[in-house]
C-alpha cells in the first residue's frame, strides 16, 4: 500500500502534469487508506497548483495547460471534499466571491471549503461577481462577514469600492480580503477589517473579526 507521502506526491504530480485519472485514483486511495482528506487537499492538490502557478509565471505553461491542471485539481476535490468532516453549525455567516472581472476561483473555493467545514453558513456568489452583488447578498443574508478574492492587480481595485459601498449601507459588517496580489497593507489601505494569506488561516481571521465586531456592538 502507498504511504501518505507517496499519495501526496501522486496528487501533487497529477495536478502539475494534468493527469486527472492519477489524481482520482490517488484521492480514492487516500480515502481507502484512511488519510486525512483535508491534508490531501491542501498538501497534495493545492500544493500542486502552487507549482503550476510558478510554471505559468516562467512561461513554461500557458492558459490551456493551467486549465487542465485546474480540472485535475477539481476532479480530486470532488472525491475528497465530501469526506472532510464538518463542524457543528456555528452562529456565523459569510458571503464570499471572486471580484468582478476575475475568473480565478480555485483559491476562493478552498477558502469557501474551510469556512464550510468550520460550520459557517457560506453564501458563495461564484466568480466574476458584480460589485453591487456583494452588497445585495450581504443585506439579503445579514451576514457579518464578507470575504472577497482577487487574483489580478486590476480587479483588486474593485474590492475597495465594495468595501465603501457595504460600509455606507451597514457599518456592522467585517470585510476580509485575500488572493495573490493582496497583502495586509493593501487590505488596510482599502479599509478592510481582515486579511488572510491562505485558506488555512482564513477561518481564524473570520472568527477574530466577528469577535471584534460583537465587542464593538456591546459598547
Ligand atoms: C490558475 C490560473 C488561471 C486559470 C484560472 C482557473 C480558475 N478556475 O481559477 C485561468 C487559466 C482561467 C487563468 C486565466 C487568466 N489569468 Co491566471 N493564473 C492562474 C495561476 C497560474 C494560479 C492561480 C491559482 O489557482 N493558484 C492556486 C490557489 C490555491 O492559490 P491562490 O489562488 O493564490 O489562493 C490562495 C491564497 O491566495 C488565498 N486566497 C485566495 N482568495 C482568497 C480570498 C480570501 C477572502 C482569503 C482570506 C484568502 C484567499 O487562499 C488560497 C489558498 O490558500 C496564477 C499564477 C499564480 N502564481 O497565482 C495566474 C494569474 C493569477 N493569472 C494571471 C492572468 C494575467 C490571467 C489572464 C489575464 C491570462 C490571459 N492572458 O488570459 C486570465 C484572466 C482571466 C480573468 N479575467 O480572470 C496573472 C495575474 C497578474 C496580475 N498580478 O494581475 C497571474 C498572477 C499569472 C501571472 N504572473 O501573470 N488563470
Amino acid at each position: 500500500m502507498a504511504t501518505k507521502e507517496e499519495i501526496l506526491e501522486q496528487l501533487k504530480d497529477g495536478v502539475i502534469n494534468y493527469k486527472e485519472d492519477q489524481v482520482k485514483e490517488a484521492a480514492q486511495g487516500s480515502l481507502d487508506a484512511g488519510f486525512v482528506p483535508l491534508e490531501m487537499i491542501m498538501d497534495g492538490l493545492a500544493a500542486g497548483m502552487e507549482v503550476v502557478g510558478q510554471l505559468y509565471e516562467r512561461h513554461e505553461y500557458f492558459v490551456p495547460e493551467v486549465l487542465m491542471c485546474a480540472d485535475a485539481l477539481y476532479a480530486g476535490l470532488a472525491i475528497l471534499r465530501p469526506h472532510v468532516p464538518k463542524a457543528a453549525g456555528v452562529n456565523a455567516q459569510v458571503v464570499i466571491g471572486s471580484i468582478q472581472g476575475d475568473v480565478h476561483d480555485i483559491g476562493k473555493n478552498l477558502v469557501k471549503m474551510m469556512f464550510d467545514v468550520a460550520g459557517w453558513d457560506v453564501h458563495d456568489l461564484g466568480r466574476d461577481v458584480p460589485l453591487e452583488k456583494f452588497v445585495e447578498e450581504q443585506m439579503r443574508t445579514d451576514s457579518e462577514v464578507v470575504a472577497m478574492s482577487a487574483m489580478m492587480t486590476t480587479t483588486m481595485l474593485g474590492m475597495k469600492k465594495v468595501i465603501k459601498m457595504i460600509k455606507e449601507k451597514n457599518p456592522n459588517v467585517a470585510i476580509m480580503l485575500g488572493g495573490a496580489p493582496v497583502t495586509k497593507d493593501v487590505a488596510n489601505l482599502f479599509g478592510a477589517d481582515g486579511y488572510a494569506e491562505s485558506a488555512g488561516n482564513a477561518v481564524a481571521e473570520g472568527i477574530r473579526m466577528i469577535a471584534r465586531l460583537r465587542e464593538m456592538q456591546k459598547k
Side-chain angles (χ1 to χ4, degrees):
M1 195 161 42
T3 64
K4 187 174 90 175
E5 282 64 35
E6 283 166 347
I7 297 246
L8 283 173
E9 195 45 46
Q10 285 164 13
L11 290 168
K12 194 172 162 185
D13 171 80
V15 170
I16 298 170
N17 294 301
Y18 40 91
K19 295 184 202 151
E20 209 173 305
D21 288 341
Q22 175 177 314
V23 169
K24 285 184 188 164
E25 250 171 63
Q28 191 53 54
S30 76
L31 294 177
D32 298 342
F35 299 138
V36 179
L38 192 57
E39 204 180 330
M40 300 295 121
I41 293 172
M42 300 311 286
D43 298 345
L45 301 176
M49 204 60 209
E50 237 172 73
V51 178
V52 174
Q54 293 156 9
L55 291 168
Y56 187 76
E57 268 156 29
R58 293 206 300 267
H59 305 291
E60 289 179 42
Y61 271 12
F62 297 93
V63 169
E65 286 93 347
V66 172
L67 280 176
M68 289 190 285
C69 297
D71 284 347
L73 175 139
Y74 279 127
L77 202 58
I79 294 170
L80 292 167
R81 173 68 187 82
H83 297 273
V84 179
K86 198 174 148 101
V90 293
N91 179 20
Q93 298 191 74
V94 57
V95 171
I96 191 166
S98 297
I99 198 83
Q100 184 171 313
D102 213 316
V103 303
H104 299 92
D105 66 355
I106 297 171
K108 184 271 293 172
N109 285 338
L110 292 176
V111 175
K112 169 191 168 182
M113 182 189 73
M114 298 307 276
F115 276 113
D116 193 32
V117 299
W120 289 50
D121 282 334
V122 184
H123 307 284
D124 182 16
L125 295 171
R127 56 190 185 177
D128 189 13
V129 177
L131 305 185
E132 320 73 54
K133 191 80 191 126
F134 284 100
V135 187
E136 287 164 20
E137 189 66 1
Q138 186 285 319
M139 290 189 16
R140 189 188 71 75
T141 58
D142 200 21
S143 297
E144 281 169 301
V145 175
V146 174
M148 289 183 275
S149 177
M151 288 298 286
M152 298 194 288
T153 39
T154 44
T155 58
M156 184 172 89
L157 301 173
M159 303 202 292
K160 190 178 177 191
K161 293 185 187 153
V162 176
I163 295 172
K164 189 164 177 281
M165 289 194 285
I166 291 181
K167 298 273 179 186
E168 270 169 13
K169 289 231 159 62
N170 184 357
N172 293 324
V173 181
I175 303 172
M176 179 197 289
L177 307 183
V182 184
T183 60
K184 200 170 178 20
D185 286 346
V186 166
N188 285 339
L189 198 69
F190 284 5
D193 305 278
Y195 159 80
E197 186 183 72
S198 74
N201 37 38
V203 175
E205 181 71 349
I207 292 170
R208 189 193 62 78
M209 292 194 315
I210 286 203
R212 220 173 53 183
L213 203 62
R214 290 181 185 167
E215 197 52 44
M216 270 160 44
Q217 282 163 357
K218 271 198 235 151
K219 285 182 187 159

